[in-house]
């Protein structure tokens, strides 16, 4: 946990967010500025700055993608498809320095 991290504050419920998924390790909440009809961010409850801290010893990306895929299925996105995305660093435009996986869907997405 990091005291001044935005997503840690959401995990601690100090800042409100619309929750889509929760278990003991992962929180999924709707993005405040959605880029698609469904745009959910999956974060580990334990603070990690970025995907650079996700290692074989810390297999957190598979944890986040598992929860994102299950949520996508629950929301009915599986037949039409969805996108999972992680930004790292300035070239990718990472703005919040707590690891998060974007789940995007609900409409045709622009091709990367
Ligand atoms: P990044 O650009 O770092 O990959 O993604 C950060 C995401 O966090 C952005 O899509 C942004 O809209 C979202 N975001 C920033 N501040 C908040 C907030 O206070 N609440 C929620 N729910 N999302 C936020
Ligand atoms: Zn954090």
């Amino acid at each position: 946990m990091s005291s001044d991290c935005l997503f840690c504050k959401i995990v601690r419920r100090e800042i409100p967010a619309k929750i889509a998924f929760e278990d003991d390790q992962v929180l999924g909440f709707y993005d405040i500025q959605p880029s698609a009809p469904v745009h959910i961010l999956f974060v580990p409850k334990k603070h990690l700055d970025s995907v650079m801290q996700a290692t074989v010893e810390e297999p957190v990306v598979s944890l986040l993608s598992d929860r994102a895929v299950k949520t996508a299925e629950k929301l009915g996105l599986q037949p039409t498809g969805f996108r999972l995305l992680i930004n790292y660093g300035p070239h990718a435009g990472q703005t919040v320095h707590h690891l998060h996986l974007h789940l995007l869907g609900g409409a045709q997405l622009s091709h990367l």
Side-chain angles (χ1 to χ4, degrees):
M1 289 285 171
S2 170
S3 58
D4 54 358
C5 167
L6 178 63
F7 288 173
C8 282
K9 286 181 179 171
I10 289 177
V11 168
R12 292 197 299 265
R13 306 296 207 274
E14 291 169 17
I15 291 176
K18 188 179 168 199
I19 307 299
F21 174 87
E22 181 164 27
D23 66 12
D24 55 336
Q25 297 179 89
V26 176
L27 187 69
F29 53 92
Y30 284 85
D31 197 291
I32 206 167
Q33 255 190 304
S35 300
V38 177
H39 187 172
I40 300 171
L41 304 172
F42 290 83
V43 305
K45 289 189 169 178
K46 174 186 161 185
H47 178 91
L48 294 174
D49 286 344
S50 76
V51 74
M52 297 306 289
Q53 275 78 53
T55 60
V56 172
E57 295 76 38
E58 191 81 62
V60 63
V61 172
S62 59
L63 190 69
L64 298 178
S65 64
D66 175 78
R67 303 317 188 254
V69 165
K70 284 180 176 146
T71 304
E73 282 187 305
K74 197 179 107 193
L75 296 177
L77 299 180
Q78 193 271 330
T80 46
F82 53 86
R83 179 173 292 157
L84 302 180
L85 180 78
I86 294 175
N87 290 318
Y88 169 69
H91 275 187
Q94 183 183 3
T95 57
V96 179
H97 298 282
H98 179 132
L99 173 62
H100 51 282
L101 176 76
H102 297 255
L103 165 64
L104 298 150
Q108 186 66 50
L109 304 172
S110 60
H111 197 263
L112 278 179

